[in-house]
Amino acid sequence: MARGGYIPARLLCDFLNVENLLSIQSQHWTEAAKVAEKALIKFKYNVDLSGMNALLVDDIVDTGESLILAKNFIIGEWKPNDVKIATLQWISPVAKLKPDFYLIEVKEWYWFQYPWTRLEDTYQFIKRLLSEEGLSKREWTLEEIIAKFKELYGVDVGLNYFKDAADLLVENSFLIRSDNKYLIKS
Ligand code: AMP
């Protein structure tokens, strides 16, 4: 499933010797760790999967809303013989769906940091921390941002990701950079 399932799905094609790979974008979380109101299918293109079995792959089942929607869409519109679901993790206490195949059952909710969402997540988590901490402190050095990020989220994503995320926040007018400092725009 686009976008979280792309890389796991491509790897599964390799390991399971599968040639056909399609993508469906069922979107639920618009921002890291912030759930949108409702899941929706973005591009409802038509495919005929009759006579075939489908394996629907995603990174994680959290609420399960996006996969439920995608599975129903695929069954109703693409009409394969069967659809099974494979994910890396599923968060069993909150998930409304149990994947047929998974690597890890997660018992306590956690926001997973995948390599394919690292910049996006770093950007959003920095934005969130600055929005909250910025109420009492408006001017930050990159080192201060990194230290706060590590303190709050317990993750070190590496200097390049911190730099790129801060650059993007400047580009998107959330921050202003002057000398070696970042100022939160009011
Ligand atoms: P959901 O519909 O709630 O099962 O989640 C939809 C998508 O949001 C997942 O396929 C992930 O790409 C992303 N997502 C949701 N929860 C998490 C989480 N706890 N950690 C990382 N990514 C998540």
Side-chain angles (χ1 to χ4, degrees):
M1 206 154 76
R3 299 172 307 151
Y6 265 137
I7 292 164
R10 180 61 188 90
L11 290 169
L12 281 176
C13 284
D14 198 19
F15 290 117
L16 302 176
N17 193 23
V18 170
E19 195 185 326
N20 298 327
L21 176 60
L22 291 175
S23 173
I24 181 165
Q25 192 162 354
S26 172
Q27 213 173 33
H28 192 205
W29 299 74
T30 46
E31 219 182 274
K34 277 213 174 149
V35 70
E37 298 259 295
K38 216 166 159 255
L40 57 96
I41 303 285
K42 274 192 114 171
F43 305 101
K44 298 185 173 179
Y45 52 86
N46 287 321
V47 187
D48 182 8
L49 295 185
S50 46
M52 297 184 196
N53 292 326
L55 181 64
L56 181 55
V57 181
D58 208 358
D59 44 9
I60 184 165
V61 184
D62 188 320
T63 65
E65 302 274 359
S66 350
L67 275 166
I68 291 170
L69 188 73
K71 186 176 176 183
N72 289 339
F73 179 84
I74 291 168
I75 292 170
E77 305 290 323
W78 296 357
K79 300 186 170 44
N81 281 357
D82 187 31
V83 182
K84 292 222 183 314
I85 294 180
T87 64
L88 297 174
Q89 289 91 18
W90 75 292
I91 310 185
S92 54
V94 294
K96 293 178 190 134
L97 164 147
K98 181 179 181 185
D100 301 283
F101 311 99
Y102 58 88
L103 277 181
I104 298 168
E105 176 179 357
V106 179
K107 299 267 173 66
E108 245 176 81
W109 193 90
Y110 186 86
W111 185 264
F112 283 82
Q113 218 304 285
Y114 301 105
W116 47 88
T117 55
R118 190 153 295 164
L119 182 55
E120 193 177 307
D121 285 353
T122 307
Y123 173 93
Q124 279 163 4
F125 282 112
I126 290 181
K127 190 170 172 191
R128 196 167 312 160
L129 90 77
L130 290 179
S131 302
E132 285 158 17
E133 304 288 327
L135 296 175
S136 51
K137 176 173 162 57
R138 305 259 327 269
E139 220 178 67
W140 295 72
T141 62
L142 184 63
E143 290 69 30
E144 286 170 338
I145 294 175
I146 294 173
K148 193 45 121 181
F149 189 101
K150 289 184 190 167
E151 179 195 319
L152 289 179
Y153 306 121
V155 186
D156 184 357
V157 295
L159 185 60
N160 286 340
Y161 279 100
F162 284 124
K163 273 191 186 149
D164 284 358
D167 283 350
L168 266 178
L169 285 163
V170 172
E171 213 174 296
N172 293 339
S173 304
F174 180 80
L175 291 176
I176 300 167
R177 186 178 28 224
S178 78
D179 300 325
N180 279 331
K181 298 236 173 193
Y182 293 93
L183 182 72
I184 303 169
K185 228 174 158 181
S186 43

